[in-house]
Amino acid sequence: MIEKFFALKEHNSSVKTEVVAGFTTFLTMVYIVVVNPAILSSVGVPFEQVFMATIIAAVTGTLIMGIFARYPVAIAPGMGLNAYFASVVATQGLSYQTIFGTVFIAGLIFILISLSKFRELLITAIPSSVKYGITSGIGLFIAFLGLKSSGIVVPNEATMITLGDLHQPGTVLSLAGLLITLILMARRVNGALFFGMLITAVFGYMFNMLKFDKVISAPPAPVFFDLDIAGVFSNGLYAVIFAFLLVTIFDTTGTMIGVSEQAGLMKDGKFPRAKMAFLGDAIATAAGAMFGTSPSTAYIESSAGVAAGGRTGLTSVIVAALFTIAIFFSGVISAISSLPAITAPVLIIVGCFMMEGLARIDWKSFDEAFPAFAIILTMPLTSSISTGIAIGFITYPLLKAVSGKAKTVHPIIYIFGFIFLIQMIFFPTH
């Protein structure tokens, strides 16, 4: 029954291979159940609420991906977007219920886009240099967040930031955890991020920096958030919605196509069952917002499962099952996330992963290079992903137009550029 439903023979796979692949993918991405609650709880969102929402979003999206789209791709709340969520709450003085409202609206729009051809239009219209600039800028943003939370860098009046006190216990543990995880990554150990966190946690426990009340516990009760949808419109948070939407679309689409190509599932350059695949993360985003987490996306860590032999949706089903089991370990995860030294190395290393696209930018063409550079520079320095995106959409069509290449830019880019310009002049986000 399982073999037939997932067409295992047609994909030269087996139940055993898919189970191993599922475990491999889970181990490489399970860090999100620690890191995501740690980031969102830093701005007041109840930890246990984020923990359950993270798992609900992961299970929902991954099951849709596995059963209906039948791809070995896992879905969960995305890194970068969670940091952006926290920065908006912290810098704009708005309640997290209001920002969850923007996530929910973005999720609904995402669902509508996934059912139409607009998603394909948007992906083809936005230039590669802007896409890669956005991804890389987010990478620097979350790496800086890791450096700051660990105490490796600290505020300084003269230079804004400077090197922290490397003798502080938390900072020493952060550096040790980073070194351990880097070694595991260099040795290509499956689940290196997870095992790096685990080893760091053991050291933290040995030096009385980490304490556990209980290991296994009854899962927290999931609660629907009272989303402040009205506050989204009264505060004019359209740029925030657009930022969530844009980054999720690019991240998810690129990851799905990349992992599918790796698995040999692309057919003549086409992406079979694309609509159901794209709906997976869109529905997970809307559902996650209702329970209390930032937008979901496809995880590039799925490639580890594909490398282990995963070729069908059964891999994703196994991942979803393992996330479900994780709800019984909220006590351990809560304790681990309360020690920044454990999660900071993950933020720094994931930031490095997101810089890959820089190699694909044409740095010799100024009108291509500068918009990407402006995005990458602006995001970490302003602590705002949406500001970085706005700068990119404004500078790209402007430079193309004055370079005599106006016709090479899709009309939709001019429209977005104008909207962002108006937004930054009259409705700036701080």
Side-chain angles (χ1 to χ4, degrees):
M1 182 69 178
I2 294 177
E3 289 89 343
K4 186 175 181 180
F5 180 82
F6 290 106
L8 298 181
K9 289 185 178 179
E10 287 85 339
H11 291 92
N12 296 315
S13 187
S14 66
V15 172
K16 180 181 178 181
T17 299
E18 298 290 314
V19 169
V20 170
F23 267 91
T24 302
T25 295
F26 176 75
L27 286 175
T28 60
M29 64 180 289
V30 68
Y31 66 85
I32 194 61
V33 303
V34 178
V35 178
N36 198 48
I39 291 175
L40 298 193
S41 64
S42 69
V43 290
V45 189
F47 177 89
E48 291 189 341
Q49 193 68 32
V50 183
F51 172 74
M52 284 302 296
T54 300
I55 291 179
I56 289 170
V59 171
T60 300
T62 305
L63 279 180
I64 292 173
M65 184 65 68
I67 295 174
F68 297 101
R70 298 192 294 280
Y71 282 104
V73 178
I75 305 290
M79 289 295 297
L81 291 171
N82 47 14
Y84 174 52
F85 180 100
S87 73
V88 173
V89 175
T91 59
Q92 296 196 24
L94 300 172
S95 68
Y96 56 77
Q97 289 90 343
T98 302
I99 311 305
F100 277 130
T102 66
V103 177
F104 181 72
I105 293 172
L108 294 182
I109 297 173
F110 201 2
I111 291 172
L112 294 176
I113 290 175
S114 296
L115 292 172
S116 70
K117 292 185 178 180
F118 184 72
R119 181 169 187 167
E120 182 179 346
L121 171 64
L122 195 59
I123 291 168
T124 56
I126 297 178
S128 297
S129 60
V130 173
K131 295 178 189 175
Y132 297 136
I134 290 171
T135 303
S136 301
I138 294 173
L140 282 182
F141 180 80
I142 64 173
F144 178 68
L145 186 67
L147 291 170
K148 188 168 63 172
S149 68
S150 63
I152 296 174
V153 298
V154 296
N156 179 277
E157 289 187 7
T159 61
M160 291 199 298
I161 58 169
T162 189
L163 189 65
D165 183 357
L166 303 186
H167 295 91
Q168 290 294 323
T171 306
V172 172
L173 183 60
S174 297
L175 291 171
L178 179 60
L179 178 61
I180 290 167
T181 310
L182 288 173
I183 292 172
L184 293 174
M185 292 294 302
R187 299 294 300 173
R188 299 183 180 180
V189 174
N190 284 330
L193 293 177
F194 173 74
F195 288 119
M197 291 174 65
L198 188 62
I199 295 170
T200 308
V202 170
F203 280 114
Y205 183 79
M206 290 170 58
F207 291 99
N208 295 319
M209 300 171 66
L210 180 65
K211 296 181 179 180
F212 299 107
D213 292 329
K214 56 182 72 174
V215 177
I216 299 177
S217 58
V223 178
F224 279 107
F225 261 111
D226 183 16
L227 302 176
D228 183 13
I229 303 295
V232 175
F233 298 101
S234 63
N235 288 286
L237 299 177
Y238 308 111
V240 177
I241 295 173
F242 187 72
F244 280 137
L245 189 62
L246 197 64
V247 175
T248 306
I249 286 175
F250 292 149
D251 194 17
T252 295
T253 305
T255 298
M256 285 185 185
I257 292 175
V259 174
S260 298
E261 285 181 342
Q262 177 192 0
L265 301 175
M266 298 286 285
K267 297 181 179 179
D268 299 322
K270 296 182 179 180
F271 191 47
R273 305 179 301 281
K275 187 174 292 185
M276 290 309 304
F278 293 145
L279 275 173
D281 63 324
I283 293 173
T285 294
M290 291 190 291
F291 287 99
T293 189
S294 46
S296 295
T297 184
Y299 264 61
I300 192 61
E301 285 84 352
S302 302
S303 62
V306 170
R311 293 294 181 272
T312 75
L314 182 56
T315 294
S316 298
V317 172
I318 298 300
V319 174
L322 292 171
F323 268 113
T324 303
I325 294 172
I327 66 175
F328 296 101
F329 297 90
S330 62
V332 172
I333 292 169
S334 176
I336 289 174
S337 66
S338 66
L339 184 58
I342 299 175
T343 54
V346 174
L347 294 175
I348 296 168
I349 293 172
V350 170
C352 173
F353 291 162
M354 298 178 75
M355 306 301 289
E356 180 185 0
L358 290 178
R360 305 179 188 179
I361 296 173
D362 185 2
W363 293 104
K364 294 182 179 180
S365 298
F366 185 75
D367 51 7
E368 291 284 336
F370 186 81
F373 167 75
I375 295 169
I376 296 165
L377 183 68
T378 304
M379 283 188 184
L381 293 183
T382 63
S383 294
S384 173
I385 291 174
S386 61
T387 298
I389 292 174
I391 294 296
F393 272 85
I394 293 169
T395 56
Y396 187 87
L398 176 64
L399 291 179
K400 286 294 183 181
V402 299
S403 299
K405 304 175 185 177
K407 292 183 179 180
T408 64
V409 181
H410 196 285
I412 198 171
I413 304 302
Y414 287 107
I415 294 172
F416 282 139
F418 179 74
I419 292 172
F420 274 126
L421 183 62
I422 297 299
Q423 181 260 319
M424 291 197 71
I425 295 172
F426 298 104
F427 311 100
T429 56
H430 298 292

